[in-house]
Amino acid sequence: MRYDSITEAIGGTPLVRIDPAVHGLRHIDLYAKLEMLNPFGSLKDRAAWNMTRDELAGAAERGETVVELSSGNTAKALALIAGLHGLAFKSVTNRMRIPEVKDLLLLLGAEIEELPGRSECLDPTDEDDPLTLFHRQLNLPGSAHLHTDQYFNVLNTEAHASGTGPEIIADLDGRAPDWFVACVGTAGSSTGVARALRAHDPAVRVVGLVGEKSDFIPGIRTIDEVQEVGIFDPATYDTLEPVGSDEAIEGMLTLLRRCGLLSGPTGGAAYFGAVRHLREVDAGLTERRTAVFIVCDRVESYVGYVRRRRPDLMGLPPVRNSVATLTEAEVASAAVIGVDEARKWIAERQPLVVDLRGPFAYAALHIEGSVNIVDGLFEELLRGGLPFGRSRPVLLACPVGEKSARYAALLTRMGHPDVRSLAGGIIAWRDAGAPLVRD
Amino acid sequence: MSNDPMNGGPSHSGSLSPPLYLEPRLAPRTAALLESPAFLHGLVDALGSPLNVILPDQIADNVRGFHEVFARHRLSGRIFFAHKANRSSALVRRLTTTGAALDAASLGELRHALGSGFAGAEVMATGPKDPDFLWLAARSGTLVNADGADELERAAALVRAHGLPRLRVLVRLSGFEAPGARRLSRRSRFGTPVKSLHRLLDVLDRHRGELEPVGVGYHLDTTSVEEKAAALEGCLHAMEELRLRRFQPRAIDVGGGFGVGYLAHAAQWERYTTELTRAVLGARPPLTWGGHGYGLRAENGTLRGALGLYPAHRTTAGPGYLDELLSLPAPGLGRPLGTLLLEGLYELYAEPGRALADQCGLTLGRVLEVRSSGGGESLVRLAMNAGDVSLEDHGVLVDPVLLPRAPSPPGGPVPVAVHLMGNLCLESDLITRRTVFLPRQPHPGDLLAFANTAGYCMDFGATRAQGQALARKVAVHREGADGDWQWCLDEQYWPFTRTGEAQG
């Protein structure tokens, strides 16, 4: 395969059969359309390219900025396409809740504007939502923008009607599947694919999956949010069913661990929703049927998302020399020392004074001659053993003397003979009028 | 008789199925009070409708909830009750015993606080300040939360002119920016953009003898904890600027806006808002008077606008919200914000209004008339108006609790949909613009209890329009663990018994 531009690699994604031993459906062949294998990493590559390809030359001439309301994959694809053509890209959104995606966009050179949160004190005279204001700003005369407008742009839908849908039919040897299952975000892929499949076989059933209202699955809208999408038409779907983030992650785990598919949570939601929907009909079937769902992007960006919801999936073994392993008795027996005594001790024995606070606070004010080892780093340091010799006494200090007492207990357990914790911490030191310096 | 609208016959059920309830979240004390309808009926019979009932002991519990969050983060500092949330004397006087301080936003509030037993040093003056307000604040040793350079100049001049002691000030900042993405913020009338901090510092520098800056703060109108995290981090940097100018700042004020959860059930809220969306799109009959969309509208079958409603069901509100904010890593400095405050040796100031008044009172209205509107929903006229219980003004949707005067007739209750009308001769005087579902038909003489109105929804918008009486206000408490309810007029409440022992 030899291409002149990466955009030529968009589309032509594989359709992979899911092992029946995994999904357990007896009469239905279930296939995953691997949209994550598009060059920019997601299903949105198709829409982004289709919405821009004919506009780019003119936009470059006029020095326009590509603008889209996107929190993720569309922004990613547009940022890359814009960069490829010497254009700037700006994303405006109030939905950017995946920090890794945000960082990646910044890395790609995108400018991100986040809309403010909801008002706590409602102003009944305020008629305009931030999005309306944004659109108004965009339409000001003289503003140089190429607004791709994915929620209303028919080229979004068309990318899938002419690409994704026909590819599925071709890979199924010229037949449309009996069921098509897709998560609804911009509704572009579900609408476009459904159109292509139904044109081929009107009996295709389309299952749209939406997020549960109180929940959050990246890339999916809730049943109310889809109503804000111009290309969303409820008639496209034979059924709209909700999926929760736990279910999405459950489905994703199956794809990752049993199918070898590096799917993100949206693909997981599609798999989970597909199997849940099909399991019921499967029982009543006697002939073979086919179903297709979409794996829309890859897992890597969502590791933090999963960690927050399912920390158990990343459970690390207990570490050596951790403050978490201390007993209350050990902590209580740690040597503590009051401010006056500490000042004398410092003058006489010159212990190493370790300030466990963050560098920002340390830089502002600290005990003269102390070193700053932030608690988190100190904890990591101790995993490997004592970071200083046993002959030198050590005074540990934190804001109120609580953390330092725990570390003093740990160092004592690790064999240091003379570690003390500053009672009451830096706050007590300050309140006693003892000197604090900034260098 | 089945067609009699007063009886709410089965002919209504078509528009009712299924009723969309929004049941209020009731704390044990509020729930117990509502279990005593005879007591509440007696109060309204004696003092008239509408009637505001205050639960002063609840605010002491709420203060404790916030203090626990401070303790969890090992932070010292102060909770300032934002007085504007309620005019009650009972709440303010009860607060004097809790260790909480008070945020006064007007001369009247400051006088009320001082007259209720607060020492000047326990009060912070916020909001727009008239000369008289500023003078009494300076005179009484109140902490002045200054909106800008101009206010600092005026305060300094006043201190000098009257030979007053050095005035403690805190400066309110705005327009914070976080690293990375640019956050568009709602335009605010308050605070000084953090970019102009140097101008404030110049003013403070010039008036070292008159003004003592104790710290900085912000007050952001947003439910987004990330925006507040960016602001709090901005304050940490501003404190550093103050230090560089050889001031010794010690407090950061994170404002309020921690929110209240008004509803008992998330599922009811989710179902209601989805049905409201469908109603706006024409997919079901309207849920509001005249098809009002609460900010939503349909354009070519697509939903536009934004839902102008208070997020009435919340998983995190009040002290939990503050805890979340303090636990959040600072966007630039990385460490949790609570840790950064502690390590910087700073005190935390917070000004919750609504959250501190959570479950501290309810508003009672008597049913005057129930009539059929012809459209399946009854019109219920109450002896109160929209200003007396301004839930609607604040976008708070929550069902009132029906307190029947007489026991229910046999046959089991039949749910009804009603519109609640006020007592003003105004088309716009609707207690709620939405259709309210009640578990049974109300009758004249019944009471509707609007729970949890003490935060902004009780007397904030109350007026004597059309000569209608303002709601009387009573304070109620229980003596002993399960003792009878005791009451007194709000202005008669002091936080001790008639024999002088501490109450609550």
Side-chain angles (χ1 to χ4, degrees), chain B residues 139-320:
Chain B
R139 179 74 210 134
S140 60
T142 289
L143 168 63
V144 171
N145 190 325
D147 213 33
D150 203 46
E151 203 171 292
L152 289 174
E153 292 281 10
R154 280 189 290 127
L158 202 141
V159 168
R160 204 162 35 240
H162 297 271
L164 296 173
R166 204 161 165 234
L167 180 66
R168 292 175 308 133
V169 296
L170 196 135
V171 291
R172 179 176 283 187
L173 302 174
S174 65
F176 299 94
E177 283 185 5
R182 190 163 84 94
R183 172 85 65 173
L184 305 170
S185 53
R186 202 171 282 107
R187 200 169 142 208
S188 170
R189 295 163 52 206
F190 304 105
T192 301
V194 71
K195 281 194 184 116
S196 315
L197 176 63
H198 60 98
R199 283 193 46 229
L200 292 180
L201 295 175
D202 292 346
V203 176
L204 291 169
D205 232 347
R206 272 204 307 280
H207 302 294
R208 280 180 182 267
E210 291 79 27
L211 304 178
E212 179 197 356
V214 302
V216 300
Y218 63 85
H219 190 95
L220 291 184
D221 175 22
T222 179
T223 56
S224 157
V225 74
E226 286 84 9
E227 279 168 74
K228 291 190 176 170
L232 181 43
E233 185 178 63
C235 285
L236 285 162
H237 288 291
M239 294 291 265
E240 191 61 12
E241 295 299 317
L242 280 163
R243 278 185 193 280
L244 289 172
R245 297 265 193 134
R246 293 174 294 107
F247 293 110
Q248 288 172 337
R250 52 181 186 276
I252 295 184
D253 183 350
V254 298
F258 306 139
V260 160
Y262 285 95
L263 297 179
H265 308 292
Q268 288 183 350
W269 172 243
E270 289 185 9
R271 207 177 104 214
Y272 185 87
T273 43
T274 292
E275 292 303 311
L276 183 66
T277 304
R278 293 187 60 225
V280 168
L281 289 169
R284 63 155 292 151
L287 277 170
T288 51
W289 184 259
H292 179 70
Y294 286 112
L296 298 177
R297 59 186 190 274
E299 273 177 25
N300 305 320
T302 299
L303 194 68
R304 302 312 290 264
L307 191 62
L309 288 179
Y310 191 86
H313 186 276
R314 303 185 158 191
T315 43
T316 312

Side-chain angles (χ1 to χ4, degrees), chain A residues 90 92 102 106 111-124 126-132 134-135 152 212-215 223-224 227-232 356-365 374-376 399-400 402-403 426-427 430 436 438, chain B residues 74 180-186 220-224 227 236-237 240 243-244 250 257-260 269-275 277-278 281 295 297 301-311 314 333 335 339-340 342-346 354 393-396:
Chain A
K90 176 157 106 177
V92 183
K102 199 198 271 185
L106 293 169
E111 185 190 341
I112 303 174
E113 286 191 349
E114 291 188 88
L115 299 168
R118 301 184 58 174
S119 168
E120 175 65 37
C121 307
L122 294 179
D123 177 1
D126 183 14
E127 298 253 299
D128 285 322
D129 55 296
L131 272 185
T132 308
F134 167 75
H135 276 109
F152 290 82
E212 277 171 11
K213 273 183 82 168
S214 57
D215 211 341
I223 188 67
D224 294 352
Q227 306 286 359
E228 300 166 11
V229 177
I231 53 187
F232 172 80
L356 297 168
R357 297 175 301 154
F360 184 70
Y362 175 84
L365 282 177
V374 184
D375 50 21
V400 290
E402 196 179 56
K403 263 184 200 161
I426 305 283
I427 289 178
R430 177 201 61 186
L436 288 166
R438 63 185 300 149
Chain B
R74 304 286 180 264
R182 190 163 84 94
R183 172 85 65 173
L184 305 170
S185 53
R186 202 171 282 107
L220 291 184
D221 175 22
T222 179
T223 56
S224 157
E227 279 168 74
L236 285 162
H237 288 291
E240 191 61 12
R243 278 185 193 280
L244 289 172
R250 52 181 186 276
F258 306 139
V260 160
W269 172 243
E270 289 185 9
R271 207 177 104 214
Y272 185 87
T273 43
T274 292
E275 292 303 311
T277 304
R278 293 187 60 225
L281 289 169
R297 59 186 190 274
T302 299
L303 194 68
R304 302 312 290 264
L307 191 62
L309 288 179
Y310 191 86
R314 303 185 158 191
L333 295 167
R335 289 168 78 73
T339 305
L340 287 165
L342 180 65
E343 291 180 340
L345 319 181
Y346 298 132
R354 194 195 295 263
D393 270 357
H394 295 272
V396 175

